[in-house]
Amino acid sequence: MTTFEQFERHINPGLAGLLRFTGLDKVESHAEGVYVWDTEGKRYLDFLGLYGTLSLGHRHPKVVEAVKAQLDRMPMSVRVLVCEPATRLAARLAEITPGELSMVYFGNSGTEGVEAALKFARFYTGKPGFITTQGGYHGKTLGALSVTPREHYQLPARPLVPGVTVVPFGDAKAIEAAIGPDTAAVIVEPIQGEGGIRVPPEGYLREVRRITREKGVLMIADEVQTGMGRTGKLWAVNWEEVEPDILVSAKALGGGVMPISATICRPEILSIYKTEPLIHSTTFGGNPLAAAAALAAIEVTLGEDIPTRAAQMGAYLLGQLAELQKAYPEFIQEVRGRGLLVGLEFSDADIGAVVVAELATRGVLTAFGLNNPKVVRLEPPLIVEKNHIDQCIEALDGALKATQLAFEGVL
Ligand SMILES: *Cc1c(COP(=O)(O)O)cnc(C)c1O
């Protein structure tokens, strides 16, 4: 049996079908920088970047080196002694996140980071309720899924965590109206990723901060996808100089080499640890290998001013895409984003799917939003160069021409 057939049988038959449809029924072999190779030797330009995880590209040498050094010393923490890399990472995160954010809980994935944020909000406020936004994506474990309001994922998993109110994204007044005596926290992405790269109106985050502070409700900024430079600033909340009560980081935090999440809190929110040190804990979260990767990722991101690169390359990409939109107005409804968090909204989800498949044929990896299949997102590594963007645009032009042929007479 081939690896692909084994995947289909033992891991996920439906996903295998989807991969086959998009021409990606291939097996990955190795990767470096902005490129990935399959086992047949075909090279792909990675413009998906593991949904914003690969900000430093594949196998950034400084991150790999840090992980290798830690691997030779101590890959796992015994947990009954203090873990040095994780402690140093927590102190570093306190320095580089806004204001008083300074106590950190480490997990292994974005959804774990969100899960912790929700529990901490309940511990601290003693209240059960959460407010989340339409199109928001916060992960798929039961708690995080409860604040990810997409019926497609939620209905088969019911009953969910109770006490969740859903409001439109980008509307601060709706949050104000939804806050009640039982509200513990508002959870929001500064820019929605899976919801289709939706950028809220200017001033939205600042308004949400003002309202939550006035009403004594916590603000959780889910920066799992927007963090670590993706939008052109280290954190997307920096655009409006907002200091949330809890900031969740994950995807790019591990430098594209290790999985790690950090739930970074104002210190009083974790005061429960003074009396209940084991109230929320994990075996693997913030393990030495992952912490070493994150420390190296932070040094590269700041040392090479990666956020500024993201802003510059993002502006170039958005400009090139705007030109393409003029050439294919019947397909591309909107081009939007900030930094290298970019979305292309197609007139129809089927068209988006054909474009993704045609791009794959041309050696460019992309995908659509989990909560909005009409939108194809482009999230290349932030170390991407102009010529890579030009290659992507050329492939897109070819993909759109092929899509035009495929849909001729249908539209
Ligand atoms: C991806 C994502 C998550 C979930 O992270 P996982 O590591 O996939 O569990 C949560 N929030 C946002 C904003 C995300 O983009």
Side-chain angles (χ1 to χ4, degrees):
M1 218 188 284
T2 65
T3 303
F4 191 82
E5 286 163 351
Q6 284 178 323
F7 174 84
E8 186 160 31
R9 177 177 300 184
H10 298 291
I11 296 187
N12 193 329
L15 188 55
L18 263 177
L19 291 175
R20 209 176 270 125
F21 175 77
T22 47
L24 290 170
D25 49 342
K26 305 286 187 252
V27 178
E28 62 198 10
S29 162
H30 58 284
E32 185 170 344
V34 298
Y35 291 110
V36 185
W37 284 261
D38 68 20
T39 49
E40 291 160 26
K42 179 167 171 165
R43 188 180 79 168
Y44 302 85
L45 188 58
D46 189 351
F47 260 56
L48 177 57
L50 192 47
Y51 321 105
T53 300
L54 297 165
S55 290
L56 305 182
H58 291 271
R59 288 172 50 236
H60 190 285
K62 288 192 176 143
V63 182
V64 169
E65 190 188 339
V67 172
K68 279 184 175 165
Q70 187 61 44
L71 182 63
D72 285 338
R73 195 177 307 133
M74 185 167 187
M76 279 292 163
S77 164
V78 293
R79 292 296 181 214
V80 288
L81 296 172
V82 168
C83 174
E84 191 271 338
T87 306
R88 195 148 46 90
L89 175 59
R92 194 74 182 101
L93 285 168
E95 286 171 357
I96 64 168
T97 46
E100 289 174 49
L101 294 172
S102 60
M103 279 190 71
V104 186
Y105 173 83
F106 291 114
N108 305 284
S109 61
T111 197
E112 272 179 78
V114 167
E115 209 66 43
L118 299 176
K119 280 183 71 180
F120 296 160
R122 282 188 172 175
F123 295 160
Y124 178 65
T125 64
K127 296 173 180 179
F130 299 109
I131 294 172
T132 188
T133 58
Q134 281 166 10
Y137 186 89
H138 302 290
K140 285 180 182 157
T141 54
L142 214 43
L145 178 64
S146 301
V147 292
T148 296
R150 185 158 188 231
E151 287 198 345
H152 187 76
Y153 300 135
Q154 285 190 337
L155 291 186
R158 283 177 305 175
L160 298 168
V161 172
V164 177
T165 307
V166 184
V167 299
F169 180 64
D171 180 352
K173 287 225 158 55
I175 288 179
E176 187 159 28
I179 291 175
D182 280 344
T183 309
V186 173
I187 182 164
V188 67
E189 292 159 88
I191 294 174
Q192 285 190 340
E194 304 303 322
I197 318 296
R198 292 167 72 201
V199 184
E202 206 185 316
Y204 174 63
L205 292 178
R206 215 176 299 131
E207 266 304 280
V208 173
R209 179 65 284 190
R210 184 188 64 75
I211 291 162
T212 47
R213 194 167 275 145
E214 258 173 41
K215 302 241 177 185
V217 164
L218 300 184
M219 176 179 180
I220 303 170
D222 182 346
E223 294 240 26
V224 168
Q225 193 155 166
T226 52
M228 291 292 283
R230 173 67 40 192
T231 69
K233 298 238 187 227
L234 186 61
W235 308 107
V237 291
N238 295 148
W239 283 103
E240 298 197 352
E241 292 174 12
V242 160
E243 180 188 342
D245 298 293
I246 303 178
L247 186 152
V248 187
S249 173
K251 291 190 166 99
L253 182 61
V257 173
M258 292 297 296
I260 183 170
S261 68
T263 304
I264 310 155
C265 306
R266 289 213 340 259
E268 63 269 30
I269 291 168
L270 282 181
S271 56
I272 191 166
Y273 276 143
K274 287 181 188 161
T275 50
E276 292 289 346
L278 299 174
I279 192 77
H280 191 66
S281 64
T282 158
T283 302
F284 294 139
N287 64 73
L289 284 183
L295 279 164
I298 289 169
E299 290 334 301
V300 173
T301 301
L302 296 178
E304 296 177 16
D305 198 6
I306 296 288
T308 301
R309 273 195 66 88
Q312 288 164 347
M313 288 298 142
Y316 180 66
L317 175 60
L318 280 169
Q320 297 297 101
L321 290 171
E323 291 300 312
L324 265 190
Q325 187 187 9
K326 281 187 206 149
Y328 300 93
E330 76 280 26
F331 287 157
I332 304 179
Q333 283 200 325
E334 200 185 0
V335 172
R336 56 178 181 254
R338 182 170 287 165
L340 283 168
L341 185 58
V342 171
L344 278 176
E345 179 151 348
F346 288 93
S347 44
D348 172 310
D350 290 341
I351 291 172
V354 173
V355 172
V356 168
E358 291 290 341
L359 275 172
T361 310
R362 290 165 177 76
V364 177
L365 298 179
T366 57
F368 26 82
L370 280 177
N371 276 354
N372 190 346
K374 276 168 73 173
V375 179
V376 172
R377 65 282 197 45
L378 302 177
E379 298 187 47
L382 308 183
I383 55 161
V384 74
E385 314 228 346
K386 244 183 173 161
N387 72 296
H388 302 128
I389 292 177
D390 293 339
Q391 280 175 50
C392 172
I393 295 292
E394 197 187 313
L396 249 175
D397 191 23
L400 286 159
K401 277 204 181 78
T403 307
Q404 245 172 358
L405 284 176
F407 280 87
E408 219 166 33
V410 180
L411 288 179

